[in-house]
Amino acid sequence: MAKSKIVPLEKAMEKIIDGLTIMIPGFVNSGVPEALIKGMVDKDVKDIRIISNNTSIKGRGIGLLVHDRRIRHITCSHIGSNTETVEQVVAGELDVTFVPQGTLCERVRAGGAGIGGILTPTGLGTPIAEGKDIITVDGRQYLLEKPLRGDVALIHAWKADKMGNVVYHRTARNFNQIWATAADWVIVEAEEIVEVGELDPDLIMTPGALVDQIVDLGGVE
Amino acid sequence: MSETQNISGRDLIAYRTARFFEDGDLVNLGIGMPTKCLDFLPEGIDVWIDTENGAIGLAGPPAEDEWTDPDVVDAAGNVSKLRVGGCCFDSFTSFGYIRGGHVAATVLGAYEVDQEGNLANWMVPGKTAAGMGGAMDLVAGAKKVLIMTEHCDKKGNPKILKKCTLPLTAANEVDYIITELCVLHKTTAGLVLEELAPGVTKEEVISKTGAELIIPPEEIGSMI
């Protein structure tokens, strides 16, 4: 019988310490692991680096980490949805590296898939290409973009079984599926927990083998 | 038809841009003006809306009292609806579809666009720091890149230039520029003035454009 990976939120926070690089998925407010982020705030985690697509909105999700100035550096594609992040970045108080959204996905995929980078036409001829290797394949140019990984990934699931098999829901899936592959430790918060065997194996999006801990949100979306 | 003849300004830009779509096309519409194209789809043309955050088949925001799944959001993060036959996928897959040339057309705005097909629409140094989001991938990957823009900026300065001055979103990827005055086609020879808005002359377009334009010797077509 598969062992249950469900832990209380406080237990899941033990792995999250100051100075880590944390993978946080979500698109604006959709599919963001908000309970785990709240846990980080309550634990007073500081000086972190995050890899995320954006920073939610002011006062929510990743926005809480921005507001408290818990972040040393963000790698992301967009911060426009959070006015507070924009203010801090413009004032030079928060360090950000912008990566095109598709390139961000591919770099994280490379990080989780054990490959040394990806070749993409995205960003050729733009400031994104500065300092990067350009590689020609069959007469077409591509940028070499290197892998990204984190120490911990925080994942928001719609349903998870007790061994960590995960199904995401609609566009809340977004970056969750790839982010779960590219960290040394993977913590899932799940809106609903089901018994092992209840999820259709063909529909499982993140295998439980990749998941270390599950926090039960008890039906909270 | 008489109603159509009266279309002008942003409506005209959307009306004309929507006429680049073919029935069944997968299209990605940027936030803001590009979504207006859906109000002007020609009869018999049905397009599938790609949203880079992971869906095909978005159907726009719900009506005021209509229930919709809060886990379906558009590329601005706003709650949207999925039409019957629509589907969802992860972001990595989404950008594979985009870069892989599976999106027939991407429609975006511009800060600047130039005669080499370069586009600048993500950054004004010292002023905006929002990030490029998915724009660089969309412009590099979509089959057709359609730029909807007012011909000049708010101060009346040309937005269509010989060479962009702002940091680029993509180099040499733009196919068409649609403004309230005209349609410009980026060809290997340069930027061709292909259509004019009703009542607009080629002289007016030339005077309001910072780029060198190729003016065909034959009569120039109408945007309507």
Side-chain angles (χ1 to χ4, degrees):
Chain A
M1 188 64 199
K3 207 173 143 193
S4 172
K5 294 176 183 170
I6 299 173
V7 296
L9 179 61
E10 298 69 31
K11 176 79 181 164
M13 286 300 120
E14 284 178 8
K15 276 280 174 183
I16 302 182
I17 55 172
D18 294 355
L20 295 186
T21 296
I22 303 185
M23 312 287 300
I24 309 182
F27 190 90
V28 191
N29 292 325
S30 180
V32 180
E34 293 194 59
L36 296 175
I37 291 171
K38 186 73 179 18
M40 290 171 65
V41 171
D42 292 342
K43 193 190 168 182
D44 194 24
V45 176
K46 296 182 296 291
D47 198 27
I48 52 172
R49 293 171 175 272
I50 65 168
I51 298 172
S52 63
N53 178 58
N54 52 36
T55 57
S56 316
I57 61 170
K58 187 176 178 176
R60 253 190 92 175
I62 301 171
L64 299 178
L65 304 174
V66 172
H67 179 77
D68 295 349
R69 298 172 187 263
R70 297 174 188 282
I71 303 169
R72 178 157 44 126
H73 182 271
I74 304 179
T75 303
C76 67
S77 84
H78 201 263
I79 57 173
S81 59
N82 187 328
T83 51
E84 203 166 14
T85 313
V86 174
E87 284 164 19
Q88 289 187 21
V89 168
V90 169
E93 296 162 358
L94 176 58
D95 202 10
V96 61
T97 301
F98 287 122
V99 178
Q101 202 169 130
T103 299
L104 183 63
C105 293
E106 285 287 343
R107 290 181 65 186
V108 171
R109 182 184 70 88
I115 55 177
I118 60 106
L119 300 177
T120 178
T122 302
L124 280 171
T126 77
I128 295 305
E130 283 167 19
K132 289 180 182 152
D133 291 328
I134 293 173
I135 293 173
T136 302
V137 181
D138 294 339
R140 275 195 73 184
Q141 289 192 327
Y142 300 90
L143 282 185
L144 172 64
E145 293 278 8
K146 294 181 179 172
L148 282 173
R149 279 184 70 87
D151 298 303
V152 178
L154 309 181
I155 301 301
H156 181 88
W158 180 49
K159 285 185 187 178
D161 70 21
K162 290 178 176 173
M163 62 172 284
N165 289 310
V166 166
V167 177
Y168 307 104
H169 192 236
R170 303 294 187 260
T171 57
R173 181 174 355 176
N174 57 59
F175 301 86
N176 281 279
Q177 189 170 338
I178 291 296
W179 263 226
T181 68
D184 300 340
W185 189 261
V186 177
I187 307 171
V188 169
E189 61 170 49
E191 293 176 25
E192 184 184 348
I193 307 273
V194 299
E195 293 300 327
V196 176
E198 280 187 42
L199 299 176
D200 181 337
D202 284 333
L203 300 183
I204 290 169
M205 298 168 182
T206 293
L210 275 61
V211 173
D212 296 291
Q213 291 174 319
I214 307 158
V215 172
D216 183 0
L217 297 179
V220 178
E221 288 182 2
Chain B
M1 192 64 198
S2 58
E3 261 179 47
T4 303
Q5 288 296 343
N6 291 329
I7 292 180
S8 64
R10 289 185 156 218
D11 284 354
L12 175 61
I13 299 174
Y15 169 92
R16 180 59 190 93
T17 304
R19 272 140 192 84
F20 281 97
F21 303 154
E22 290 175 29
D23 192 36
D25 271 358
L26 179 60
V27 302
N28 186 295
L29 306 176
I31 296 163
M33 184 156 61
T35 57
K36 237 174 137 54
C37 291
L38 297 178
D39 298 337
F40 294 97
L41 278 181
E43 186 96 12
I45 300 291
D46 180 26
V47 295
W48 287 83
I49 302 301
D50 169 79
T51 186
E52 62 267 26
N53 52 307
I56 288 172
L58 277 197
E64 207 167 312
D65 296 327
E66 187 181 10
W67 182 87
T68 186
D69 189 328
D71 279 344
V72 176
V73 303
D74 63 20
N78 296 320
V79 173
S80 186
K81 290 185 301 186
L82 203 60
R83 65 189 274 190
V84 174
C87 63
C88 298
F89 32 83
D90 72 288
S91 301
F92 152 72
T93 304
S94 172
F95 279 94
Y97 297 154
I98 288 166
R99 274 189 320 268
H102 306 286
V103 174
T106 186
V107 185
L108 305 95
Y111 297 152
E112 293 175 346
V113 56
D114 71 27
Q115 65 193 44
E116 295 170 15
N118 300 320
L119 171 68
N121 76 348
W122 75 283
M123 189 189 188
V124 181
K127 275 193 181 166
T128 62
M132 74 292 283
M136 285 192 181
D137 301 281
L138 282 159
V139 178
K143 274 194 200 142
K144 217 183 297 178
V145 177
L146 307 176
I147 302 301
M148 291 174 78
T149 179
E150 266 135 359
H151 205 88
C152 296
D153 68 17
K154 287 190 179 106
K155 292 176 185 163
N157 299 313
K159 295 175 80 170
I160 304 161
L161 307 173
K162 283 196 179 70
K163 190 99 184 163
C164 290
T165 63
L166 294 169
L168 295 187
T169 306
N172 191 18
E173 294 284 359
V174 172
D175 295 300
Y176 288 92
I177 305 165
I178 303 99
T179 81
E180 76 283 13
L181 302 181
C182 66
V183 174
L184 300 173
H185 183 192
K186 166 64 179 59
T187 68
T188 48
L191 215 44
V192 180
L193 177 59
E194 284 198 345
E195 295 175 20
L196 289 166
V200 173
T201 63
K202 55 188 175 189
E203 289 74 21
E204 180 181 357
V205 170
I206 292 166
S207 73
K208 291 180 175 173
T209 304
E212 286 165 19
L213 299 179
I214 298 170
I215 313 291
E218 63 271 21
E219 195 184 344
I220 296 166
S222 169
M223 285 175 74
I224 292 178

Coordinates of all heavy atoms in Angstrom, one line a residue, chain A residues 91-132:
Chain A
A91 N 12.2 51.4 -8.5 CA 13.0 52.1 -7.5 C 14.4 51.4 -7.2 O 15.2 51.8 -6.4 CB 12.2 52.1 -6.2
G92 N 14.6 50.3 -7.9 CA 15.9 49.6 -7.8 C 16.0 48.8 -6.5 O 17.1 48.4 -6.0
E93 N 14.8 48.5 -5.9 CA 14.8 47.8 -4.6 C 14.6 46.3 -4.7 O 14.8 45.6 -3.7 CB 13.7 48.4 -3.7 CG 13.9 49.9 -3.4 CD 12.6 50.6 -2.9 OE1 11.6 49.9 -2.8 OE2 12.7 51.8 -2.6
L94 N 14.3 45.9 -5.9 CA 14.0 44.5 -6.1 C 14.7 44.1 -7.4 O 14.5 44.7 -8.4 CB 12.5 44.2 -6.1 CG 12.1 42.7 -6.5 CD1 12.6 41.8 -5.4 CD2 10.5 42.7 -6.4
D95 N 15.5 43.0 -7.4 CA 16.2 42.6 -8.5 C 15.4 41.6 -9.4 O 14.9 40.6 -8.8 CB 17.5 41.9 -8.0 CG 18.6 41.9 -9.0 OD1 18.4 42.6 -10.1 OD2 19.6 41.2 -8.8
V96 N 15.2 41.9 -10.7 CA 14.4 41.1 -11.5 C 15.2 40.7 -12.8 O 15.9 41.6 -13.3 CB 13.1 41.7 -11.9 CG1 13.3 43.0 -12.6 CG2 12.2 40.8 -12.7
T97 N 15.1 39.5 -13.2 CA 15.6 39.1 -14.5 C 14.3 38.7 -15.4 O 13.6 37.7 -15.0 CB 16.5 37.9 -14.4 OG1 17.6 38.3 -13.6 CG2 17.1 37.5 -15.8
F98 N 14.1 39.4 -16.5 CA 13.0 39.0 -17.3 C 13.4 38.0 -18.3 O 14.4 38.1 -19.0 CB 12.5 40.3 -18.1 CG 11.7 41.2 -17.2 CD1 12.1 42.6 -17.1 CD2 10.6 40.9 -16.5 CE1 11.4 43.5 -16.3 CE2 9.9 41.8 -15.7 CZ 10.3 43.1 -15.6
V99 N 12.5 37.0 -18.4 CA 12.7 35.9 -19.4 C 11.4 35.7 -20.2 O 10.4 35.7 -19.6 CB 13.1 34.6 -18.7 CG1 13.2 33.4 -19.7 CG2 14.3 34.7 -17.8
P100 N 11.5 35.7 -21.5 CA 10.3 35.5 -22.3 C 9.5 34.2 -21.8 O 10.1 33.2 -21.4 CB 10.7 35.3 -23.7 CG 12.1 35.9 -23.8 CD 12.7 35.7 -22.4
Q101 N 8.2 34.3 -21.7 CA 7.4 33.3 -21.1 C 7.6 31.9 -21.6 O 7.7 30.9 -20.8 CB 5.9 33.7 -21.2 CG 5.1 33.0 -20.1 CD 3.7 33.6 -20.1 OE1 2.7 32.9 -20.1 NE2 3.5 34.9 -20.1
G102 N 7.7 31.8 -22.9 CA 7.9 30.4 -23.5 C 9.3 29.9 -23.2 O 9.6 28.7 -22.9
T103 N 10.3 30.9 -23.2 CA 11.7 30.5 -22.9 C 11.8 30.1 -21.4 O 12.5 29.1 -21.0 CB 12.6 31.7 -23.2 OG1 12.5 32.0 -24.6 CG2 14.0 31.4 -22.8
L104 N 11.0 30.8 -20.5 CA 11.0 30.4 -19.1 C 10.5 29.0 -18.9 O 11.2 28.2 -18.2 CB 10.1 31.4 -18.4 CG 10.0 31.3 -16.8 CD1 11.4 31.5 -16.2 CD2 9.0 32.3 -16.3
C105 N 9.5 28.6 -19.6 CA 8.9 27.3 -19.5 C 10.0 26.3 -20.0 O 10.2 25.2 -19.4 CB 7.7 27.1 -20.4 SG 6.3 28.1 -19.9
E106 N 10.6 26.6 -21.1 CA 11.6 25.6 -21.7 C 12.8 25.5 -20.8 O 13.4 24.4 -20.7 CB 12.0 26.1 -23.1 CG 10.9 25.8 -24.1 CD 10.8 24.3 -24.5 OE1 11.7 23.5 -24.2 OE2 9.7 24.0 -25.1
R107 N 13.2 26.6 -20.2 CA 14.4 26.5 -19.3 C 14.1 25.7 -18.1 O 15.0 24.9 -17.7 CB 14.9 28.0 -18.9 CG 15.4 28.7 -20.1 CD 15.9 30.1 -19.7 NE 17.0 30.0 -18.7 CZ 17.5 31.1 -18.1 NH1 17.0 32.3 -18.3 NH2 18.5 30.9 -17.2
V108 N 12.9 25.8 -17.6 CA 12.5 25.0 -16.4 C 12.4 23.6 -16.8 O 12.8 22.6 -16.1 CB 11.3 25.6 -15.7 CG1 10.8 24.7 -14.7 CG2 11.6 27.0 -15.2
R109 N 11.8 23.4 -18.0 CA 11.7 22.0 -18.5 C 13.0 21.4 -18.6 O 13.3 20.2 -18.2 CB 11.0 22.0 -19.9 CG 10.8 20.5 -20.4 CD 10.2 20.5 -21.8 NE 11.1 21.0 -22.8 CZ 12.0 20.2 -23.5 NH1 12.0 19.0 -23.2 NH2 12.8 20.8 -24.4
A110 N 14.0 22.1 -19.2 CA 15.4 21.6 -19.3 C 15.9 21.3 -18.0 O 16.6 20.2 -17.8 CB 16.2 22.6 -20.1
G111 N 15.7 22.2 -17.0 CA 16.2 21.9 -15.6 C 15.6 20.6 -15.0 O 16.3 19.9 -14.3
G112 N 14.4 20.3 -15.4 CA 13.7 19.2 -14.8 C 13.9 17.9 -15.6 O 13.6 16.8 -15.2
A113 N 14.4 18.1 -16.9 CA 14.5 16.9 -17.8 C 16.0 16.5 -18.0 O 16.2 15.7 -18.8 CB 13.8 17.3 -19.1
G114 N 16.9 17.1 -17.3 CA 18.3 16.7 -17.4 C 19.0 17.0 -18.7 O 19.9 16.3 -19.1
I115 N 18.5 18.1 -19.3 CA 19.2 18.5 -20.5 C 19.9 19.9 -20.3 O 19.5 20.6 -19.5 CB 18.3 18.5 -21.8 CG1 17.1 19.4 -21.6 CG2 17.9 17.1 -22.1 CD1 16.2 19.5 -22.8
G116 N 20.9 20.1 -21.1 CA 21.8 21.2 -20.9 C 21.4 22.6 -21.4 O 22.1 23.5 -21.4
G117 N 20.1 22.6 -21.9 CA 19.6 23.9 -22.4 C 18.7 23.6 -23.6 O 18.4 22.5 -23.9
I118 N 18.2 24.7 -24.1 CA 17.3 24.6 -25.3 C 17.7 25.7 -26.3 O 18.3 26.7 -26.0 CB 15.8 24.7 -24.9 CG1 15.5 26.1 -24.2 CG2 15.4 23.6 -23.9 CD1 14.8 27.1 -25.1
L119 N 17.3 25.4 -27.5 CA 17.6 26.4 -28.6 C 16.2 27.0 -29.0 O 15.3 26.3 -29.4 CB 18.2 25.7 -29.8 CG 19.5 25.0 -29.5 CD1 20.0 24.3 -30.7 CD2 20.6 26.0 -29.0
T120 N 16.1 28.3 -29.0 CA 14.9 28.9 -29.3 C 15.1 30.2 -30.2 O 16.1 30.9 -30.0 CB 14.1 29.3 -28.1 OG1 12.9 30.0 -28.5 CG2 14.8 30.3 -27.2
P121 N 14.2 30.4 -31.2 CA 14.3 31.7 -31.9 C 13.8 32.9 -31.1 O 14.1 34.0 -31.5 CB 13.4 31.4 -33.1 CG 12.4 30.4 -32.6 CD 13.1 29.6 -31.6
T122 N 13.1 32.7 -30.1 CA 12.5 33.8 -29.3 C 13.7 34.6 -28.7 O 14.6 34.1 -28.0 CB 11.7 33.2 -28.1 OG1 10.6 32.4 -28.7 CG2 11.1 34.4 -27.3
G123 N 13.6 35.9 -29.0 CA 14.5 36.9 -28.4 C 15.7 37.2 -29.3 O 16.5 38.1 -28.9
L124 N 15.8 36.6 -30.4 CA 16.9 36.9 -31.3 C 16.8 38.4 -31.8 O 15.7 38.9 -32.1 CB 16.8 36.1 -32.6 CG 17.4 34.7 -32.5 CD1 17.0 33.9 -33.8 CD2 18.9 34.7 -32.3
G125 N 17.9 39.1 -31.7 CA 17.8 40.5 -32.1 C 17.3 41.5 -31.1 O 17.0 42.6 -31.4
T126 N 17.0 41.0 -29.9 CA 16.5 41.8 -28.8 C 17.5 41.8 -27.6 O 18.4 41.1 -27.7 CB 15.1 41.2 -28.3 OG1 15.4 40.1 -27.4 CG2 14.2 40.8 -29.4
P127 N 17.2 42.7 -26.6 CA 18.1 42.7 -25.5 C 18.3 41.4 -24.8 O 19.3 41.1 -24.1 CB 17.4 43.7 -24.5 CG 16.6 44.5 -25.4 CD 16.1 43.6 -26.5
I128 N 17.3 40.5 -25.0 CA 17.4 39.1 -24.3 C 18.6 38.3 -24.9 O 19.1 37.4 -24.2 CB 16.0 38.4 -24.6 CG1 14.9 39.1 -23.9 CG2 16.1 36.9 -24.2 CD1 15.1 39.3 -22.4
A129 N 19.0 38.6 -26.1 CA 20.0 37.8 -26.7 C 21.4 38.3 -26.2 O 22.4 37.5 -26.5 CB 19.9 38.0 -28.2
E130 N 21.5 39.4 -25.6 CA 22.8 39.9 -25.2 C 23.6 39.0 -24.3 O 23.1 38.5 -23.3 CB 22.7 41.3 -24.5 CG 22.4 42.4 -25.5 CD 21.9 43.7 -24.8 OE1 22.1 43.9 -23.6 OE2 21.3 44.5 -25.5
G131 N 24.8 38.7 -24.8 CA 25.7 37.8 -24.0 C 25.4 36.3 -24.1 O 26.1 35.5 -23.5
K132 N 24.4 36.0 -25.0 CA 24.1 34.6 -25.1 C 24.7 34.0 -26.4 O 24.9 34.7 -27.4 CB 22.6 34.4 -25.1 CG 22.0 34.6 -23.7 CD 20.5 34.4 -23.7 CE 20.0 34.8 -22.2 NZ 18.7 35.3 -22.2

